[in-house]
Amino acid sequence: MTIENSNVVVRLSIKDWVPIIGMVLTIMTIIVGSFVHHDRLRTQLSTQKEGTSKGLDKIETKLEAARN
C-alpha cells in the first residue's frame, strides 16, 4: 500500500495476515456448510418426490384395473 504523494510503503506483517486469513476461512466454512446443508435438503426433497410419484402411479394403476 502506498500513500499518495509519499514514498512511504506500508507492509502487512504476519500479525495482520493471521486475522485476515482466519476471517476468510471462517466465511468459507460457513458458505461450504450452507451449501452442503442445502444440497442435503434438495436431495431429500427429490427422494420424497420420487417416492410420492411412484405411490401415485401405483394408485392410478389400481384404479385403472378396478375400472376394467
Side-chain angles (χ1 to χ4, degrees):
M1 288 174 62
T2 60
I3 299 172
E4 289 185 36
N5 300 327
S6 176
N7 293 332
V8 177
V9 176
V10 178
R11 299 193 188 278
L12 297 175
S13 70
I14 198 77
K15 291 179 183 178
D16 298 323
W17 282 109
V18 169
I20 293 171
I21 292 171
M23 286 187 288
V24 168
L25 288 176
T26 301
I27 292 169
M28 292 301 295
T29 302
I30 291 169
I31 290 172
V32 169
S34 297
F35 174 77
V36 168
H37 180 68
H38 177 266
D39 190 50
R40 286 182 184 167
L41 287 176
R42 194 171 53 117
T43 303
Q44 182 182 8
L45 287 174
S46 176
T47 304
Q48 287 176 353
K49 181 181 174 186
E50 186 178 321
T52 303
S53 178
K54 287 180 181 179
L56 287 174
D57 288 343
K58 287 180 184 178
I59 291 171
E60 288 174 355
T61 304
K62 287 180 182 179
L63 285 174
E64 288 176 9
R67 286 183 187 166
N68 296 332

